[in-house]
């Protein structure tokens, strides 16, 4: 990984782990909060077009070094479908995921079999999930316990405390920091039913394409897995970089098991 990229991710990780610096007591009205959360969902979905991009995911296990996974993702959000093809490392190349008809399927070319796969399960070699790279449905699946104006670094944000209202969601409660002016997610904390912090995600930068905002970098921290180094707890994290963004329409075949199998068997 290039030194410049590593250096740029230092403040990003600090942003992911720190609390908001200054806390304003202003709360949003129920209607304003609902409207902003809906806008946040809309920002994560690319309706009326297909989307594709290359993903580089660098998994950092404290004391064990780093591993890099590369993948290409195709999304058709109108149909709630996506395909993820693992392109590296060589040991994982050819593995893939495809979602259609509300089901995610995982393909391993080693045994040439598909198995049902939860969108909240980790992608091979990373702490990221397919759900992290997909459209979000907070306004549908969660109720707003509170929505408060805060500062996250220099960003004017709204901090949402969300609790699940739908069954089958990955996390019973979520804290979500959203920039107030554009509704973009900047930080997210996922909690268990008992209130334990499970994961922290930071998205400090976005890239603009054809009127859409696409994350440029993300850091996903696993707050359950880590190691003490020099008496300081360090958690596993995955650094995600998104590149080669395109909104070109793909063939319908791309979103099928047949396509994933074909690509997996030509590795």
């Amino acid at each position: 990984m290039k030194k410049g990229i590593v250096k740029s991710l230092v403040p990003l990780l600090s942003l992911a782990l720190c609390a908001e610096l200054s806390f304003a007591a202003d709360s949003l009205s129920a209607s304003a909060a609902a409207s902003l959360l809906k806008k946040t969902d809309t920002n994560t979905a690319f309706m009326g077009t297909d989307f594709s991009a290359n993903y580089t995911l660098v998994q950092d296990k404290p004391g064990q070094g780093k591993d890099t996974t590369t993948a290409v993702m195709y999304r058709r959000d109108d149909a709630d479908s996506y395909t993820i093809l693992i392109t590296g490392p060589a040991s994982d190349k050819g593995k893939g995921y495809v979602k259609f008809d509300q089901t995610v399927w995982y393909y391993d070319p080693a045994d040439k079999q598909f198995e049902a796969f939860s969108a909240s399960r980790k992608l091979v070699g990373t702490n990221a999930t397919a759900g992290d790279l997909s459209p979000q449905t907070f306004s549908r699946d969660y109720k707003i316990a509170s929505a408060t104006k805060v500062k996250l670094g220099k960003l004017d944000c709204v901090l949402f405390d969300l609790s699940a209202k739908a069954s089958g969601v990955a996390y019973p409660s979520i804290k979500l920091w959203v920039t107030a002016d554009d509704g973009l997610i900047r930080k997210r904390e996922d909690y268990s039913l008992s209130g334990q912090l499970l994961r922290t995600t930071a998205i400090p930068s976005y890239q603009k394409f054809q009127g859409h905002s696409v994350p440029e970098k993300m850091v996903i921290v696993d707050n359950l897995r880590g190691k003490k180094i020099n008496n300081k707890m360090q958690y596993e994290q995955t650094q995600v970089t998104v590149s080669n963004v395109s909104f070109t329409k793909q063939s319908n075949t791309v979103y099928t098991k047949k396509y994933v199998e074909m690509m997996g068997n030509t590795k």
Side-chain angles (χ1 to χ4, degrees), residues 233-244:
M233 192 65 186
Q234 297 182 25
Y235 294 101
E236 289 187 13
Q237 62 174 350
T238 297
Q239 301 166 356
V240 183
T241 303
V242 186
S243 60
N244 296 328

Side-chain angles (χ1 to χ4, degrees), residues 74-149:
Y74 303 93
R75 281 172 39 184
R76 181 170 289 171
D77 294 345
D78 284 334
D80 192 20
S81 297
Y82 60 70
T83 292
I84 302 172
L85 303 174
I86 305 300
T87 57
S91 58
D92 290 322
K93 187 176 180 180
K95 295 177 180 178
Y97 308 81
V98 59
K99 180 184 181 184
F100 57 88
D101 295 338
Q102 304 300 313
T103 302
V104 181
W105 297 96
Y106 166 66
Y107 180 73
D108 188 340
D111 56 17
K112 298 182 173 16
Q113 296 291 324
F114 282 91
E115 65 171 289
F117 190 90
S118 168
S120 62
R121 281 177 59 184
K122 295 176 182 178
L123 300 175
V124 291
T126 76
N127 283 328
T129 70
D132 293 324
L133 313 181
S134 306
Q136 303 301 309
T137 53
F138 299 116
S139 58
R140 182 194 71 188
D141 298 335
Y142 291 84
K143 60 182 178 181
I144 301 172
S146 65
T148 310
K149 296 177 182 177

